[in-house]
Amino acid sequence: MKVHGYGALEAGAKMVPVQFEREALRAGEVAIKISHCGVCHSDLHQVNDDWDNSLYPCVPGHEIVGKVTAVGEGVEKYSEGDVVGVGCMVNSCQQCANCKAGEEQYCTGPKGCTLTYNGPAVPDGTNSYGGYSDGIIVREEFVVRVPDALKPEEAAPILCAGITTYQPMKHWNVKMGDRVGIAGIGGLGHLAIETAKALGAHVVALTTSPEKKEMILEDLGADEVIVMSDEKALEEAAMSLDFLLSTIPYKHDINSYIPLMKKNTTICIVGNLIGFDNVDTSGMVFNRIQLAGSLIGGVEDTQEILDFYAEHGIKPDITLIAPDQINEAFERMKNENVRFRHVIDMSLLKADDGDEKIEQPVRGEVVGRDA
Ligand SMILES: [Zn+2]
Ligand SMILES: [Zn+2]
């Protein structure tokens, strides 16, 4: 499958138009013409090699929505014309306990899960290219169905931002009446607020930006906002939260959040490799507070949250961009702490034979099938 898209040829380079071949469709796989792809903070981190593990060329994108154009032998769930999505993973061993439990992101097979882009970096160094492109081929088990009630561009951010914030709320059993704190009101945080509200929680948004207060209450529907510089408000909110989700994507001070937690509750971090200096462990010890992490979510839960959004009429706040606006979008994300999600309209891609030719990515085998 000949594919055009956008990629970075080296660390921190501007995104440029690229073309490459994807391996032909095999049994158990689904070919998708990509219509939309969300722009995630991880895309920017990976392009800039912020995690020190990027492979180049790098074609990011793991909030992929499109139409099925063909299915391989044995595919049962999907057929041509279906609107489907692909999130952060495209393969895993399917045989370890975590895969069997629907938590492919924690796959303990020999290669772990294969991320939609930049994976598997270990052990053989082969690369994968993501959704900043007009087509992808993915094994059936990693494809989800986009409900009719969601527009394709609205479904895209749910595939990473939505599932990443929903999964910990499910795991730590956020329920009706719980007081849930959401720290960091950006691309992930705004979806986290809406999800927690739909689960029936009382949502307390925690922000460092006083100017966002009104927007958070009026547009996002949080029940309360605490500005982290407001010491009086912090004091009044002491020991009031049942769960706290931090979506802040950079190194920050966790200590001002710890006193807000009720006894025996959890602060969950979903940002990758952000780190903390001098965590106030006594604040944790005296109230048995747990500091936890969580990585994206499995395929089954991804389908669940798509259906949940459709059912509850939750619509991610998006800004559509053309593929050639991706560099500007990255700049905005870096400088402005945007709360909405940029979504690339891939139908506007101007494919050109002069696009930079890059090597074909190699997909892993389709494990657990007779193909
Ligand atoms: Zn992401
Ligand atoms: Zn596995």
Side-chain angles (χ1 to χ4, degrees):
M1 179 198 253
K2 188 172 179 182
V3 171
H4 288 265
Y6 268 76
L9 303 181
E10 55 186 32
K14 285 252 178 291
M15 302 290 286
V16 294
V18 295
Q19 58 174 308
F20 56 94
E21 284 283 331
R22 291 200 190 266
E23 285 179 279
L25 183 71
R26 301 175 301 193
E29 293 182 331
V30 177
I32 301 162
K33 179 159 179 52
I34 299 173
S35 64
H36 297 89
C37 186
V39 180
C40 177
H41 227 105
S42 304
D43 304 349
L44 182 57
H45 283 307
Q46 204 77 67
V47 162
N48 288 338
D49 201 16
D50 291 338
W51 298 327
D52 223 2
N53 68 350
S54 295
L55 302 165
Y56 297 93
C58 176
V59 180
H62 59 201
E63 293 181 341
I64 300 169
V65 177
K67 262 195 184 148
V68 175
T69 54
V71 296
E73 208 186 306
V75 168
E76 285 166 3
K77 270 167 72 187
Y78 303 103
S79 49
E80 207 184 313
D82 288 353
V83 180
V84 295
V86 177
C88 302
M89 299 173 287
V90 289
N91 205 355
S92 76
C93 87
Q94 299 287 296
Q95 285 157 355
C96 72
N98 289 340
C99 282
K100 285 190 172 151
E103 299 202 305
E104 301 89 351
Q105 73 272 33
Y106 302 120
C107 175
T108 54
K111 292 186 180 183
C113 67
T114 302
L115 297 176
T116 304
Y117 62 88
N118 204 68
V122 286
D124 53 6
T126 51
N127 201 349
S128 55
Y129 295 156
Y132 290 12
S133 62
D134 55 7
I136 193 165
I137 295 172
V138 179
R139 63 181 297 181
E140 180 181 18
E141 291 87 341
F142 288 83
V143 177
V144 288
R145 188 174 297 282
V146 173
D148 292 339
L150 289 172
K151 288 186 193 160
E153 60 269 36
E154 290 166 351
I158 303 169
L159 296 162
C160 172
I163 180 63
T164 298
T165 50
Y166 169 66
Q167 219 292 322
M169 290 191 222
K170 181 178 175 180
H171 181 81
W172 277 282
N173 191 27
V174 166
K175 54 188 187 308
M176 191 73 77
D178 280 356
R179 296 179 62 91
V180 171
I182 307 291
I185 313 302
L188 265 69
H190 95 269
L191 288 184
I193 291 175
E194 303 214 44
T195 304
K197 280 299 290 178
L199 289 168
H202 177 93
V203 177
V204 183
L206 305 161
T207 181
T208 51
S209 319
E211 72 279 3
K212 282 191 180 175
K213 197 166 173 175
E214 221 158 284
M215 176 280 291
I216 294 170
L217 291 170
E218 280 166 24
D219 300 351
L220 304 184
D223 297 290
E224 291 176 43
V225 178
I226 296 177
V227 178
M228 293 308 289
S229 55
D230 184 346
E231 281 177 28
K232 188 164 168 275
L234 287 175
E235 219 165 278
E236 283 168 5
M239 293 188 74
S240 66
L241 299 179
D242 294 287
F243 180 70
L244 172 67
L245 186 73
S246 171
T247 70
I248 299 171
Y250 46 82
K251 197 164 179 163
H252 60 281
D253 175 21
I254 194 82
N255 291 333
S256 31
Y257 299 99
I258 295 171
L260 304 178
M261 306 307 294
K262 287 184 188 170
K263 180 188 151 212
N264 207 22
T265 56
T266 299
I267 298 176
C268 177
I269 315 294
V270 291
N272 189 10
L273 302 180
I274 51 178
F276 301 112
D277 291 327
N278 303 320
V279 176
D280 171 19
T281 47
S282 69
M284 295 171 66
V285 167
F286 279 92
N287 266 318
R288 205 196 277 147
I289 307 300
Q290 299 148 70
L291 190 53
S294 178
L295 174 69
I296 52 176
V299 181
E300 207 181 306
D301 283 345
T302 305
Q303 184 67 63
E304 192 172 290
I305 188 63
L306 277 169
D307 296 342
F308 182 87
Y309 272 54
E311 190 187 317
H312 290 267
I314 306 175
K315 295 188 190 313
D317 194 352
I318 59 161
T319 294
L320 274 176
I321 59 167
D324 61 8
Q325 292 175 302
I326 185 60
N327 290 307
E328 288 162 49
F330 276 178
E331 280 304 310
R332 263 201 299 274
M333 284 164 71
K334 242 189 291 187
N335 303 325
E336 291 170 32
N337 187 20
V338 289
R339 77 173 158 97
F340 55 81
R341 207 64 157 172
H342 293 98
V343 175
I344 309 173
D345 182 346
M346 278 300 165
S347 70
L348 301 176
L349 186 74
K350 294 184 200 92
D352 186 325
D353 276 343
D355 292 350
E356 186 82 35
K357 274 201 177 92
I358 59 174
E359 217 178 292
Q360 148 176 326
V362 181
R363 292 199 304 284
E365 56 184 318
V366 184
V367 182
R369 281 187 173 258
D370 300 330

